[in-house]
Amino acid sequence: MSEFEIIRRYFTRASSSAVLGIGDDAALVRVAPECELAVSTDTLIEGRHFFAGADPYPLGRKSLAVNLSDMAAIGAQPRWILLSLSLPGADEKWLELFSRGLFELADKHAVELIGGDTCRGPLSICVTIMGEVAAGRALRRDGARPGDDVWVSGSLGDAALALAHLENRIALSPDDFERCARALDYPVPRIELGRKLHGIASALIDISDGLTADLGHILERSHVGATIKVAGIPRSAILRRYLPARAALQALLAGGDDYELCFTAPSSLRAEVKALARKVDVPLTCIGKIESAGGLRLLDERGHAVDMELRAFDHFA
Ligand code: ADP
Ligand code: MG
């Protein structure tokens, strides 16, 4: 199968929302008037972001999900993607399952694949995503103010718990592992929540590298600090069962791969946040407060500092 055959068979579909889709030297898109184009890219590399031989169906989904999460995290409506694939060979079964996973999630969010690149090499998947956001209304990392509440969506740590099990850092029961592996393989991007946080959130980020690291980015960019009550961080019944094991606490606070949203909002807007949680049917939990003193303080139930070295994943550390 040739390169063009791969593109035609697995990745070309009729274009509807783009001015020009796959097949020319560049795609053409028209951004709605009064909107800015939000652009982001994320790469998944075999042996680094996923295990060699990983199931291609969830991989196709996740390649898009992590990019959708970046659109959610800036409050944009995702519209178009580019897909750059490096493939060791033209494995038809792999391509069929990978593209099915990718398109299923793309269709769910009305996102269109409008171009990309296909070459031979070690397996790696790079998705570039574009979305629209009302001009000047993007929810950035630099808007947190002292006195704001810190909120997170959903619950944290299950995906990292599955990874800890796979890396023999903790032993989960087969049932617990299966449930946590779903969180790892099928993250749910919080698109609707992100878009509806306009007018409520002062700063917003998605939790991909772990709560402490990603909240840390908000603090740094906003020149503020925060105090977080660890007992108040939402966690699943499964994760609760494995606490206080260090690997479970680590998963909750610094695990990564959650793809939940973390945002700050003025405390005068608590009722609005709670109403939004009901509207989009996503639990939202207040976990702490923004303060003018820099740094992140983690407190246990007795108000003592949680002293634990929490290092987020860094490719070059
Ligand atoms: P060029 O030689 O100009 O780089 P290519 O031969 O790489 O063009 O690609 C031909 C067309 O197919 C382009 O429109 C490109 O965007 C699209 N394309 C290539 N690979 C992919 C892919 N994996 N998914 C979607 N579109 C792709
Ligand atoms: Mg090319």
Side-chain angles (χ1 to χ4, degrees):
M1 198 168 20
S2 75
E3 180 188 323
F4 297 104
E5 188 71 6
I6 292 175
I7 299 166
R8 193 186 60 73
R9 268 198 25 211
Y10 297 103
F11 298 109
T12 308
R13 296 154 117 214
S15 170
S16 56
S17 71
V19 176
L20 184 61
I22 292 171
D24 216 306
D25 297 304
L28 301 172
V29 297
R30 190 176 292 134
V31 180
E34 313 303 322
C35 277
E36 287 164 347
L37 188 69
V39 192
S40 173
T41 192
D42 251 325
T43 303
L44 299 182
I45 296 171
E46 185 177 58
R48 176 58 61 179
H49 302 93
F50 58 90
F51 292 105
D55 189 348
Y57 173 78
L59 193 57
R61 267 187 98 96
K62 188 164 176 176
S63 311
L64 177 56
V66 301
N67 279 276
L68 288 169
S69 182
D70 281 320
M71 290 290 109
I74 198 143
Q77 176 67 45
R79 297 294 309 276
W80 307 286
I81 54 170
L82 301 170
L83 172 66
S84 281
L85 274 180
S86 164
L87 301 170
D91 179 337
E92 294 187 29
K93 190 77 202 150
W94 191 94
L95 284 160
E96 148 69 19
L97 289 168
F98 176 85
S99 58
R100 192 193 301 168
L102 182 101
F103 280 122
E104 272 181 20
L105 192 60
D107 290 346
K108 185 161 178 230
H109 293 280
V111 165
E112 197 174 325
L113 177 63
I114 58 169
D117 199 29
T118 307
C119 59
R120 189 191 285 268
L123 182 58
S124 110
I125 303 143
C126 175
V127 172
T128 300
I129 193 160
M130 285 159 279
E132 292 173 314
V133 60
R137 303 284 312 274
L139 292 166
R140 300 155 47 140
R141 298 176 177 183
D142 59 5
R145 296 290 171 261
D148 285 355
D149 293 324
V150 179
W151 297 83
V152 294
S153 66
S155 65
L156 305 183
D158 281 3
L161 203 57
L163 190 64
H165 175 90
L166 290 168
E167 292 175 343
N168 294 315
R169 286 182 282 115
I170 201 164
L172 304 184
S173 75
D175 273 6
D176 290 346
F177 172 67
E178 198 179 307
R179 303 255 296 275
C180 290
R182 261 205 90 74
L184 182 64
D185 293 337
Y186 294 90
V188 178
R190 301 296 194 188
I191 299 293
E192 196 192 2
L193 174 61
R195 286 199 315 119
K196 293 196 167 141
L197 281 169
H198 289 288
I200 296 177
S202 49
L204 172 62
I205 195 166
D206 65 327
I207 305 175
S208 55
D209 294 331
L211 173 67
T212 51
D214 289 316
L215 175 56
H217 294 312
I218 287 186
L219 303 183
E220 198 172 303
R221 296 293 297 272
S222 302
H223 306 290
V224 292
T227 294
I228 300 300
K229 289 187 178 139
V230 171
I233 300 172
R235 76 267 333 248
S236 68
I238 297 177
L239 193 137
R240 202 169 293 141
R241 275 206 289 286
Y242 293 88
L243 288 171
R246 192 186 162 79
L249 191 57
Q250 185 89 25
L252 181 68
L253 295 172
D257 257 338
D258 296 301
Y259 300 102
E260 293 294 348
L261 296 182
C262 174
F263 63 95
T264 59
S267 48
S268 57
L269 296 180
R270 275 184 200 161
E272 282 80 352
V273 174
K274 287 181 179 152
L276 178 58
R278 285 190 296 274
K279 189 169 178 185
V280 299
D281 197 22
V282 175
L284 297 177
T285 309
C286 181
I287 60 166
K289 258 204 160 348
I290 296 293
E291 295 155 347
S292 50
L296 178 58
R297 290 160 287 281
L298 298 171
L299 300 183
D300 65 17
E301 288 96 330
R302 292 171 301 163
H304 297 164
V306 174
D307 85 282
M308 193 172 122
E309 217 192 323
L310 299 161
R311 196 153 287 154
F313 186 75
D314 178 330
H315 286 272
F316 296 96

